[in-house]
Amino acid sequence: MPSEFELIKRYFDRPARSAAMGVGDDAALLQPAAGMDLAVSTDLLLEGRHFRAGADARKLGHKALAVNLSDMAAMGAAPRWATLALALPRADEAWLEGFAKGFFALAQRFGVELVGGDTTRGPLSVCVTILGEVPGGLALYRAGALPGDDIWVSGELGGAALGLAQPGNPAAARRLDEPDPRVELGERLRGLATAAIDVSDGFAQDLGHILERSGVGAVVEYARLPAFPGTDARQVLAGGDDYELVFTARQERRAEIEALGRELKLALARVGSIQKGPPALQVLDAGRRPMPLARGFDHFAP
Ligand code: ADP
Ligand code: MG
């Protein structure tokens, strides 16, 4: 049976490139570039709550990092470093190998270095903290939306919820298990978007956070929302785990945003507009009647 330290060395100790000290000492040492703000975010994934028992280890490694990369994207930050806190019921090397494969494949794609973590025995849980850089003053906040702004959504909505409902639908299951964080889009939205958030708990709820923080309302046309094929309105509006970006921008920037979508080969749909008034969201159906909104995901909802 390998020791804790052998497992760390075997699966998680990769030579540090940009960190002055990565895995192996008491703390990592990082040197953000001059003029950059450091963006930091943490997500905790628990077996039975965020993923089912027996979930594929490689996909879990991918998703644990992907959800954190998505937070960097929503902030307009370039992801640089990550730490990984793992609780494992046992030293299962096949599991660790799969997990590391999924994690590092995505890390490499976005130039993220794993610089530390913690490994302990316990009920399976995975906690990643990510650190990224964004030029001072250019981070994308939830609070910047202004009346008259357009509301945009990347990719498609509801696919992850469909994947949960229909595990036999491979395209939808892929949306749930292996989300594609919109990192390039987030970075390119600096100075272009007025506010941004990623869709982790459902479009309506996550847009609602922008509205609350910005002190504005919104009208969205349901027919303009980019629905994943086969989804229903509940999945599109309230399905979580899509990790698309919802952002707002001045109307004058429409052509730039459309050009950006073409350049990134990523669908960007203009779905509605920000209104003066209380932070309420109206979603209109084809007859321009307000649709009822299901609640998004809330861990403590009764
Ligand atoms: P400490 O006793 O100071 O908590 P550890 O013995 O837990 O240190 O960890 C030794 C080194 O391995 C540290 O640099 C730590 O950041 C790193 N490490 C531990 N677990 C992981 C992991 N799952 N992924 C990456 N690095 C890890
Ligand atoms: Mg430790």
Side-chain angles (χ1 to χ4, degrees), residues 105-183:
L106 192 61
Q108 196 166 14
R109 186 173 143 211
F110 290 109
V112 170
E113 271 186 77
L114 182 65
V115 294
D118 202 20
T119 307
T120 169
R121 188 194 289 264
L124 184 59
S125 77
V126 182
C127 182
V128 173
T129 295
I130 194 150
L131 299 105
E133 292 178 311
V134 57
L138 286 184
L140 302 173
Y141 298 137
R142 296 176 178 185
L146 298 165
D149 281 359
D150 292 323
I151 301 168
W152 296 82
V153 184
S154 68
E156 293 176 319
L157 296 172
L162 184 64
L164 195 60
Q166 295 180 1
N169 177 334
R174 194 155 191 284
R175 294 284 301 164
L176 176 67
D177 295 333
E178 296 175 87
D180 200 0
R182 303 307 187 189
V183 173

Side-chain angles (χ1 to χ4, degrees), residues 221-282:
E221 288 175 53
Y222 183 79
R224 287 174 164 266
L225 287 173
F228 186 92
T231 48
D232 61 26
R234 194 201 55 79
Q235 289 162 334
V236 171
L237 292 169
D241 263 8
D242 279 322
Y243 301 103
E244 296 296 348
L245 293 187
V246 174
F247 59 96
T248 57
R250 306 301 298 162
Q251 292 178 23
E252 306 87 83
R253 315 300 296 268
R254 275 181 196 172
E256 279 167 88
I257 291 168
E258 283 159 5
L260 179 60
R262 285 192 295 274
E263 185 190 329
L264 298 179
K265 298 189 170 57
L266 176 61
L268 299 178
R270 183 162 55 78
V271 300
S273 63
I274 296 292
Q275 318 275 317
K276 217 183 270 166
L281 168 63
Q282 272 208 334

Side-chain angles (χ1 to χ4, degrees), residues 30-69:
L30 311 174
Q31 292 165 327
M36 294 290 202
D37 286 341
L38 207 49
V40 183
S41 176
T42 296
D43 266 300
L44 172 62
L45 301 184
L46 297 180
E47 183 177 72
R49 167 115 337 237
H50 302 93
F51 57 92
R52 13 178 219 292
D56 180 83
R58 185 189 58 77
K59 291 176 185 166
L60 192 59
H62 173 103
K63 186 156 179 175
L65 183 58
V67 300
N68 281 275
L69 290 170

